[in-house]
Amino acid sequence: MNNVHMDFEAWLALATIATGIVWLIDRFLIAPRRGKHEEPNGFIEFARSFFPVLLAVLLLRAFVFEPFRIPSKSMVPTLLVGDFVLVNKFSYGLRAPVFHTKLLDLGEPERGEVVVFRYPPDPTKDYIKRVIGMPGDQITYADEHLFINGEPVDLEQLGVYDGPDADALSSMHQFMETLPEGMQHPILQVDGRRGPDVSVTVPENKYFVMGDNRDNSADSRVWGFVPEENLVGKAFMIWMSVDFSEFDVRFSRIGHILH
């Protein structure tokens, strides 16, 4: 049985069910007894008005797209603090709201995709990372180098990173990482800081994920694998970006497609 937590989706589902019950009772029991020109009471009118809106939001959020805000620097430079991303909820299968039971299998993550998932040690929290290891892969991260199935992953040095969310106390070096299938994405390494070394084989139906800010990310190197059932969806676009320290909208990032 899934561990059900009372998050926003749960409250939304409860509100939809409650207003839906009121709508049904009014539609089939109360409305036929009302006078032709008699108006329903305020509570019934409220439920009738909000039920279709809540139902539409629940279905859209559960099965189509869901917005998430980036709260940490673990995915810099790909994602910045204050980015708001859209997540495709049907990329990896349709799941029931609240209980997260898979209803329809529509695909699996591919290496290099940025995914949102329920944090395995605490499923009430959502995390966002990049898929690095697929089921059956041998993943080694040693001395700041990534190896997949014994082969080193190619890194091209791009220079010092001094963009948004740069570390004010240490130099951040930017690299372009090319995964075995050819997908490229930037990563960061921080002087004076070193991510944990690890060598593991990814179990069946699980994934090994990492943050692009390699020395500032708690990921599969720390807490283990992401089970398939914890996947929420594929992050594919930045729909809004706000620098909250300056209360400034980063218009140049809006509409950016994630790779």
Side-chain angles (χ1 to χ4, degrees):
M1 181 178 292
N2 292 332
N3 181 25
V4 180
H5 55 278
M6 295 303 292
D7 57 7
F8 174 76
E9 188 175 90
W11 288 114
L12 180 61
L14 285 176
T16 304
I17 293 171
T19 54
I21 290 173
V22 174
W23 178 83
L24 286 171
I25 291 174
D26 178 70
R27 175 69 176 80
F28 294 104
L29 297 179
I30 300 177
R33 302 177 183 178
R34 261 197 312 266
K36 187 175 181 180
H37 301 290
E38 184 181 352
E39 294 293 330
N41 65 43
F43 176 74
I44 292 177
E45 183 62 29
F46 175 86
R48 282 177 28 171
S49 300
F50 275 88
F51 169 63
V53 176
L54 293 172
L55 180 61
V57 172
L58 178 64
L59 293 177
L60 183 68
R61 190 180 186 277
F63 299 121
V64 187
F65 300 125
E66 183 174 357
F68 288 87
R69 180 177 67 87
I70 304 303
S72 76
K73 299 181 180 182
S74 70
M75 284 295 291
V76 176
T78 304
L79 293 170
L80 306 178
V81 175
D83 282 347
F84 292 79
V85 300
L86 277 180
V87 173
N88 186 333
K89 297 294 289 286
F90 54 86
S91 292
Y92 311 135
L94 297 181
R95 297 182 183 273
V98 183
F99 296 96
H100 310 296
T101 304
K102 181 175 282 191
L103 305 175
L104 182 64
D105 191 357
L106 296 175
E108 299 175 349
E110 296 182 5
R111 194 193 319 276
E113 291 182 343
V114 178
V115 299
V116 171
F117 54 91
R118 288 178 288 116
Y119 179 44
D122 182 0
T124 64
K125 299 177 180 178
D126 291 316
Y127 269 35
I128 185 167
K129 304 290 181 186
R130 190 180 298 276
V131 175
I132 298 297
M134 307 293 288
D137 282 344
Q138 173 70 33
I139 301 296
T140 299
Y141 191 80
D143 194 26
E144 302 276 57
H145 287 83
L146 175 64
F147 299 80
I148 299 178
N149 296 322
E151 297 295 326
V153 172
D154 183 62
L155 285 181
E156 177 189 354
Q157 189 161 359
L158 301 179
V160 175
Y161 176 76
D162 59 359
D165 289 339
D167 194 316
L169 302 177
S170 303
S171 293
M172 304 180 78
H173 298 278
Q174 187 170 2
F175 300 83
M176 183 64 69
E177 183 173 81
T178 303
L179 296 173
E181 293 80 3
M183 180 178 286
Q184 294 184 315
H185 57 271
I187 67 165
L188 297 181
Q189 294 178 358
V190 184
D191 279 352
R193 195 179 304 168
R194 179 171 167 172
D197 291 347
V198 67
S199 185
V200 295
T201 299
V202 184
E204 186 178 357
N205 295 320
K206 294 188 178 181
Y207 298 88
F208 187 95
V209 299
M210 298 178 71
D212 290 346
N213 192 350
R214 292 289 163 81
D215 297 325
N216 190 23
S217 173
D219 48 40
S220 288
R221 294 171 293 174
V222 178
W223 41 257
F225 307 104
V226 177
E228 188 276 335
E229 60 266 24
N230 283 49
L231 294 173
V232 173
K234 175 184 176 182
F236 70 96
M237 185 181 74
I238 299 172
W239 67 272
M240 177 58 68
S241 182
V242 180
D243 181 352
F244 288 102
S245 65
E246 301 289 339
F247 295 99
D248 184 37
V249 177
R250 305 184 187 106
F251 289 101
S252 63
R253 295 186 63 77
I254 297 176
H256 177 71
I257 303 300
L258 299 178
H259 299 289

